[in-house]
């Protein structure tokens, strides 16, 4: 799964590298992301929707169990899936664990606040010109009409509902209290992202909390870097080797 609400091309190189190692790779293009459908009706929080959809996707494809890899935001989705469906887990891959007060404040605005502000100021037309939703329209122009037809109050209600996970975000590993992390029983490979939203200390903390886990602190020279796309082949080799071991 790609991170944030990013489309699948964010992890395309990673997927190709994993496939080249001889694995079958399934990419989960999450609801309200990438080229998947828009949905402002489901009553659940955004990450719960993605976790449920992942289960449905595997069912649809006839996949009984898998090595689930989450990147950044979807690391939490992968963890939630592993706790609710341990029988479907071959292993767990956590690539970039985010957290910290500055990260929470930034992401609260990035994921939710800017869209609440846009719809309250100028309605759905402004939402269509803002951030993630502008990107969705560029990928699929039909999304503009779907968004424009939404009642602003319905859209705002969805944003507030999705934001619920922020209520438990102020813990060291964002959205995941220590007692939740300690419940993970699946063999877990942890790969840092080395940027300000995913400080290495959180990967180290996850390693200390997840009993059956291994931390791959593979490129400390990336600590100060923001654009880590060139790391994808290396991460693919690390997690592919971890799974095979």
């Amino acid at each position: 799964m790609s991170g944030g609400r990013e489309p699948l091309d964010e992890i395309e190189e990673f997927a190709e590298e994993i496939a080249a190692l001889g694995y079958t790779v399934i990419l989960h293009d999450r609801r309200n992301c990438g080229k998947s459908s828009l949905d402002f009706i489901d009553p659940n929080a955004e990450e719960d929707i993605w976790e449920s959809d992942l289960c449905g996707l595997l069912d649809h494809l006839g996949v009984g169990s898998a090595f689930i890899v989450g990147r950044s935001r979807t690391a939490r989705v992968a963890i939630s899936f592993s706790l609710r469906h341990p029988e479907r887990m071959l292993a767990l891959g956590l690539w970039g664990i985010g957290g910290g007060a500055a990260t929470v404040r930034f992401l609260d605005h990035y994921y939710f606040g800017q869209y609440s502000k846009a719809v309250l100021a100028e309605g759905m037309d402004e939402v269509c010109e803002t951030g993630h939703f502008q990107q969705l329209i560029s990928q699929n122009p039909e999304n503009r009409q779907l968004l424009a037809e939404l009642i602003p109050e319905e859209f705002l209600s969805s944003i507030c509902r999705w934001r619920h996970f922020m209520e438990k975000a102020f813990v060291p590993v964002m959205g995941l209290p220590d007692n939740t992390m300690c419940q993970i029983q699946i063999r877990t490979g942890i790969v840092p992202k080395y940027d300000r939203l995913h400080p290495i200390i959180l990967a180290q903390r996850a390693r200390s909390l997840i009993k059956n886990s291994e931390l791959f602190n593979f490129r400390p020279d990336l600590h100060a870097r923001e654009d880590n796309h060139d790391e994808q082949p290396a991460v693919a080799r690390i997690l592919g080797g971890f799974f095979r071991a």
Side-chain angles (χ1 to χ4, degrees):
M1 294 172 283
S2 53
R5 292 192 185 110
E6 297 301 317
L8 292 182
D9 57 10
E10 185 202 44
I11 53 169
E12 183 177 358
E13 184 179 8
F14 171 76
E16 289 175 348
E17 292 285 343
I18 286 283
L21 295 174
Y23 297 107
T24 298
V25 179
I26 299 168
L27 296 178
H28 179 203
D29 201 13
R30 293 158 288 146
R31 206 184 318 188
N32 295 324
C33 301
K35 297 181 180 179
S36 287
S37 59
L38 300 180
D39 181 358
F40 300 95
I41 298 175
D42 193 298
N44 295 302
E46 196 169 30
E47 294 185 1
D48 291 337
I49 292 171
W50 295 337
E51 186 239 305
S52 177
D53 285 349
L54 174 58
C55 188
L57 175 64
L58 296 178
D59 286 343
H60 177 73
L61 296 175
V63 177
S65 55
F67 175 27
I68 306 294
V69 178
R71 172 180 166 96
S72 187
R73 188 178 182 187
T74 59
R76 293 189 294 277
V77 179
I79 288 172
S80 177
F81 186 91
S82 75
L83 292 173
R84 294 181 183 178
H85 307 282
E87 75 286 353
R88 306 199 70 163
M89 298 293 300
L90 297 177
L92 175 63
L94 305 178
W95 177 10
I97 296 175
T103 298
V104 171
R105 286 193 294 269
F106 170 78
L107 292 180
D108 194 17
H109 171 74
Y110 182 73
Y111 288 142
F112 312 109
Q114 62 174 320
Y115 306 113
S116 298
K117 182 178 179 180
V119 73
L120 289 171
E122 300 290 343
M124 293 307 299
D125 286 342
E126 182 68 15
V127 172
C128 290
E129 301 301 326
T130 304
H132 172 69
F133 294 100
Q134 184 181 48
Q135 181 185 60
L136 291 181
I137 290 170
S138 70
Q139 293 193 341
N140 181 1
E142 292 181 1
N143 283 331
R144 177 177 289 276
Q145 182 175 351
L146 293 173
L147 286 165
E149 290 176 351
L150 271 179
I151 299 172
E153 291 76 13
E154 291 179 346
F155 175 81
L156 186 60
S157 176
S158 294
I159 291 295
C160 292
R161 188 168 62 248
W162 294 348
R163 189 182 176 274
H164 282 173
F165 97 94
M166 299 300 297
E167 296 172 359
K168 55 183 179 180
F170 284 98
V171 291
V173 178
M174 185 177 176
L176 295 166
D178 285 0
N179 61 349
T180 298
M181 299 290 286
C182 290
Q183 293 173 30
I184 300 172
Q185 302 296 320
I186 307 301
R187 182 168 170 260
T188 302
I190 303 169
V191 181
K193 272 183 57 65
Y194 303 106
D195 60 29
R196 60 188 177 86
L197 298 182
H198 311 85
I200 180 64
I201 191 172
L202 297 184
Q204 294 168 337
R205 187 178 185 91
R207 167 64 188 89
S208 71
L209 294 170
I210 303 172
K211 182 177 181 180
N212 190 13
S213 66
E214 184 173 356
L215 173 63
F216 298 92
N217 191 3
F218 70 112
R219 291 187 62 185
D221 59 301
L222 289 179
H223 273 254
R225 298 188 57 175
E226 297 296 329
D227 181 6
N228 293 334
H229 280 278
D230 61 338
E231 72 180 329
Q232 293 198 25
V235 175
R237 289 191 294 271
I238 288 170
L239 290 179
F242 164 78
F243 181 57
R244 180 170 289 150

